[in-house]
Amino acid sequence: MLNAWHLPVAPFVKQNKDQLTITLWLTGENLPQRVTLRAENDNEETALAMHKLRTPPSPGVTAWRAAIDLRSGQPRRRYSFKLLWLDRQLWFTPQGFSRFPPARLEQFAVDAPDSGPQWVADQVFYQIFPDRFARSSSRDAQQDKVYYHHAAGQEIVLREWDEPLTAQAGGSTFYGGDLDGISEKLPYLKKLGVTALYLNPVFTAPSVHKYDTEDYRHVDPQFGGDPALMRLRLKTQQQGMRLVLDGVFNHSGDSHAWFDRHHRGSGGACHHPDSPWRDWYSFSPDGVALDWLGYPSLPKLDYQSESLVNEMYRGEDSIVRHWLKAPWNMDGWRLDVVHMLGEAGGARNNLQHVAGIAQAAKETQPEAYVFGEHFGDARQWLQADAEDAAMNYRGFTFPLWGFLANTDISYDPQQIDAQTCMAWMDNYRAGLSHQQQLRMFNQLDSHDTARFKSLLGKDAARLPLAVVWLFSWPGVPCIYYGDEVGLDGDNDPFCRKTFPWQAEKQDAALLALYQRMAKLRHRIPALRYGGCQVIYAEDNVVVFLRVYQQQRVLVAINRGEACEVVLPASPLLNVTEWGCKEGKGQLSDDILTLPAISATLWLNH
């Protein structure tokens, strides 16, 4: 039986000055007589003859090698392997063997040079919904002012931190979390292993979630205003922590001065056809503003308007640039519903504007991290380099939900086995370069979904499996605040409960697991930069390997009964000794002994 191995990392890919050396390993009988490397030069397919190495890299392995010239061509180097016999051919790609040539976007891909933000893969992110994380000790009475919330048709509701959340007035209920509260909790986050924060919107807006922006250039007074964000920025910098903001550029709130539905006297577009901001929104022939998904409080911004484009991203002091410049020096933007942004009340010319936002960010702060919110397939934007990465719902979160929680994003039943789960995840990764995979934003859940713990229901014992997976799969892990201490909650608003700061309300064992996994990730380069090879995927068990230079990390996930698994022969598993770093599984020769409902991680010595 013919087997092939290649991952877009060392030892298979090595850069030497202006050459990228590519190596393929083969084992089995009836090996091919020739192998060619299908590469590209300025998007034109080209075939490079590979030569067989005299010295095998491992016993029984035949290695073939060729080099790509880096002095010409596009930075994304796409390639695959054509194996040739006298009377037939086979192709080898990230998804294995194929009898026909692979699609262009389903080949191995390495970015050389890589222009993406280099710091991202080293991070452990933490997502904070500011009103619900921590209330500062210095909070003043002005921050708890009650006001009329037009969209809800009532005054906002103020609650004590430990009062239970109810379904009433979801967007109008405030618990008093603020930015100084986050600053005060940085030591806790540091101990957890967090190195980067992503904050849900902090700009002035009437709702608790702040996706209905009233002023893009100022922080909401309830969160402590601009000074509180400046204090948080300085403290995160002192701690060596990154800080990423939420950019809501698809729509504004209807209370924004540009729109002014509620007659505050700004001359906004809602009631004034001659308003200077009229063409920043789209209106139906009878003068009704087009909104986002039927929410009248969220009028869609219309990027047909040159002046809007200049205000949002292109202009020298545009909103996108403003927060990336001194004194703020933010580290990037998460772009809300960015696939829907565009012209004429819809998503016309979407890619052009998303790329424009990213370009403006990079011009202002070359290492800015720009990633989009996409519940669907984000690869169209990533392959066009309109974004550095995306929230990896489709390539990580949903396959995991299907395998461990038996549900999909619509909360419909979904029963998938290990083989289906791995095929799904590998298929998605195959469309991305290796460097893009390492920057994808991986989460178990978020402010827009039920908490993973609640999705698991009676299978809550599987939660630790997901945590180990989160920290060991390609991509940057992000913890949604409270997940690490066992916070539960169904869909919005219940996934936005206040953080339980009393120790007796926290799951200490779960918290310790998060801390251990964050530490392992910071300590082991293969978990941050490694290629990923699925070794075994059958029924209830997934086994994958992270490979980086001489380092190997083996991860085994078993959602079912205790079992033994015989690992297939692989030269990637030829290591002197394995050391168990997390979990209770055992590895002896090629046999894994896995406890019921377990996750185990080994590192080679």
Side-chain angles (χ1 to χ4, degrees):
M1 184 180 164
L2 184 67
N3 279 305
W5 289 273
H6 177 83
L7 292 169
V9 290
F12 298 98
V13 174
K14 290 185 178 175
Q15 187 171 343
N16 184 11
K17 294 180 183 166
D18 52 14
Q19 282 206 321
L20 198 66
T21 305
I22 309 284
T23 307
L24 176 70
W25 292 0
L26 296 173
T27 64
E29 296 167 13
N30 193 14
L31 294 170
Q33 281 124 334
R34 288 187 298 130
V35 180
T36 61
L37 182 71
R38 181 271 186 213
E40 290 180 357
N41 193 354
D42 289 330
N43 305 329
E44 174 70 8
E45 290 192 27
T46 179
L48 304 172
M50 302 190 78
H51 65 274
K52 196 190 294 187
L53 300 188
R54 289 202 182 103
T55 312
S58 195
V61 174
T62 304
W64 293 78
R65 182 169 288 169
I68 294 173
D69 187 347
L70 297 178
R71 290 172 298 185
S72 62
Q74 301 302 301
R76 183 148 302 141
R77 315 292 170 167
R78 301 187 190 279
Y79 60 91
S80 53
F81 303 94
K82 186 181 187 182
L83 284 57
L84 289 154
W85 291 261
L86 283 175
D87 57 350
R88 65 191 177 96
Q89 62 177 250
L90 264 184
W91 290 80
F92 184 66
T93 74
Q95 296 182 84
F97 288 116
S98 168
R99 294 189 179 278
F100 57 87
R104 178 169 182 259
L105 300 178
E106 292 192 356
Q107 303 189 66
F108 295 103
V110 174
D111 293 331
D114 172 24
S115 60
Q118 300 300 304
W119 57 272
V120 172
D122 289 320
Q123 308 308 308
V124 170
F125 266 88
Y126 193 83
Q127 179 191 344
I128 295 177
F129 192 82
D131 182 68
R132 307 290 162 82
F133 180 62
R135 186 179 169 101
S136 65
S137 54
S138 60
R139 188 175 174 89
D140 65 53
Q142 282 300 102
Q143 288 178 255
D144 287 325
K145 257 178 38 180
V146 172
Y147 56 85
Y148 190 78
H149 186 189
H150 286 277
Q154 63 171 66
E155 290 194 325
I156 63 160
V157 179
L158 301 180
R159 286 207 174 130
E160 292 300 318
W161 199 256
D162 294 322
E163 278 187 72
L165 196 58
T166 64
Q168 281 75 47
S172 312
T173 301
F174 288 79
Y175 282 83
D178 54 25
L179 299 182
D180 285 323
I182 299 171
S183 290
E184 289 171 14
K185 298 298 184 184
L186 290 183
Y188 163 80
L189 294 171
K190 194 91 172 168
K191 191 177 173 191
L192 178 56
V194 168
T195 59
L197 303 181
Y198 149 50
L199 306 183
N200 284 110
V202 297
F203 304 126
T204 305
S207 71
V208 71
H209 53 71
K210 308 291 175 209
Y211 283 98
D212 47 349
T213 317
E214 193 172 288
D215 185 345
Y216 288 97
R217 293 184 182 272
H218 291 289
V219 174
D220 198 288
Q222 284 183 301
F223 291 164
D226 295 358
L229 183 61
M230 182 55 69
R231 288 190 288 272
L232 178 60
R233 172 73 288 203
L234 293 174
K235 283 182 176 158
T236 50
Q237 286 173 327
Q238 286 161 10
Q239 298 280 349
M241 279 182 168
R242 303 285 184 158
L243 187 55
V244 170
L245 298 180
D246 208 327
V248 189
F249 305 139
N250 169 67
H251 51 265
S252 75
D254 65 357
S255 59
H256 199 297
W258 301 340
F259 195 77
D260 191 25
R261 184 189 298 282
H262 309 299
H263 299 284
R264 289 181 177 171
S266 65
C270 184
H271 306 293
H272 298 87
D274 57 349
S275 167
W277 304 295
R278 183 74 173 187
D279 69 343
W280 291 20
Y281 299 91
S282 301
F283 290 85
S284 67
D286 53 358
V288 176
L290 304 186
D291 57 40
W292 180 67
L293 295 185
Y295 295 102
S297 61
L298 304 177
K300 273 271 289 183
L301 291 164
D302 187 346
Y303 284 81
Q304 278 183 113
S305 166
E306 280 294 308
S307 54
L308 174 69
V309 166
N310 286 330
E311 171 68 15
M312 297 307 281
Y313 68 83
R314 192 180 293 152
E316 206 36 57
D317 193 37
S318 62
I319 288 151
V320 166
R321 296 180 196 266
H322 173 81
W323 295 100
L324 299 176
K325 289 179 183 176
W328 304 102
N329 299 311
M330 295 299 167
D331 292 296
W333 287 105
R334 177 263 195 191
L335 303 177
D336 182 58
V337 292
V338 69
H339 54 288
M340 299 184 76
L341 177 151
E343 301 174 4
R348 199 173 78 196
N349 288 328
N350 170 270
L351 207 53
Q352 169 194 321
H353 293 295
V354 178
I357 289 169
Q359 185 183 339
K362 306 288 183 184
E363 286 170 0
T364 311
Q365 152 64 290
E367 283 283 286
Y369 179 38
V370 180
F371 64 102
E373 177 199 22
H374 300 271
F375 274 86
D377 190 343
R379 289 175 295 185
Q380 175 188 343
W381 290 267
L382 299 170
Q383 288 159 351
D385 289 313
E387 301 167 352
D388 292 313
M391 297 182 82
N392 202 11
Y393 287 114
R394 186 60 67 96
F396 177 78
T397 313
F398 297 160
L400 214 70
W401 283 15
F403 183 65
L404 293 177
N406 306 120
T407 188
D408 70 4
I409 181 54
S410 304
Y411 308 107
D412 291 327
Q414 183 172 40
Q415 304 277 346
I416 60 174
D417 60 11
Q419 203 168 357
T420 307
C421 181
M422 289 296 90
W424 182 350
M425 292 170 94
D426 275 352
N427 170 269
Y428 198 82
R429 287 196 305 129
L432 304 173
S433 74
H434 174 64
Q435 287 83 354
Q436 287 178 312
Q437 291 177 36
L438 299 182
R439 286 192 276 266
M440 289 297 276
F441 200 79
N442 292 346
Q443 292 185 280
L444 299 180
D445 47 29
S446 75
H447 66 293
D448 281 325
T449 73
R451 298 252 181 190
F452 187 64
K453 182 180 178 180
S454 293
L455 291 177
L456 285 170
K458 61 180 174 34
D459 293 318
R462 293 178 175 179
L463 186 53
L465 282 58
V467 177
V468 172
W469 210 331
L470 174 68
F471 282 90
S472 49
W473 192 253
V476 58
C478 179
I479 305 162
Y480 180 42
Y481 82 97
D483 275 0
E484 76 277 14
V485 294
L487 202 56
D488 61 3
D490 291 327
N491 249 353
D492 172 22
F494 297 104
C495 55
R496 303 172 181 183
K497 291 179 181 174
T498 53
F499 191 101
W501 286 107
Q502 301 99 314
E504 63 272 15
K505 291 185 177 177
Q506 299 182 358
D507 183 334
L510 186 62
L511 178 59
L513 173 62
Y514 270 93
Q515 289 171 325
R516 291 197 304 274
M517 288 307 301
K519 201 172 281 182
L520 282 176
R521 188 177 168 88
H522 291 315
R523 214 180 77 212
I524 301 172
L527 289 177
R528 305 195 302 276
Y529 315 130
C532 182
Q533 178 84 51
V534 176
I535 299 290
Y536 180 94
E538 296 283 339
D539 195 17
N540 293 317
V541 178
V542 166
V543 183
F544 61 89
L545 191 67
R546 298 295 301 275
V547 174
Y548 187 67
Q549 296 170 350
Q550 302 309 310
Q551 199 170 63
R552 305 282 184 273
V553 176
L554 188 68
V555 180
I557 310 282
N558 175 22
R559 71 177 181 185
E561 301 295 321
C563 64
E564 279 193 351
V565 166
V566 180
L567 295 176
S570 167
L572 294 176
L573 294 171
N574 290 347
V575 303
T576 315
E577 192 186 348
W578 291 102
C580 181
K581 298 298 176 188
E582 180 59 48
K584 294 196 167 68
Q586 294 181 333
L587 174 54
S588 176
D589 296 326
D590 58 351
I591 297 176
L592 285 179
T593 307
L594 304 176
I597 314 179
S598 65
T600 313
L601 183 149
W602 294 267
L603 174 66
N604 69 323
H605 289 307

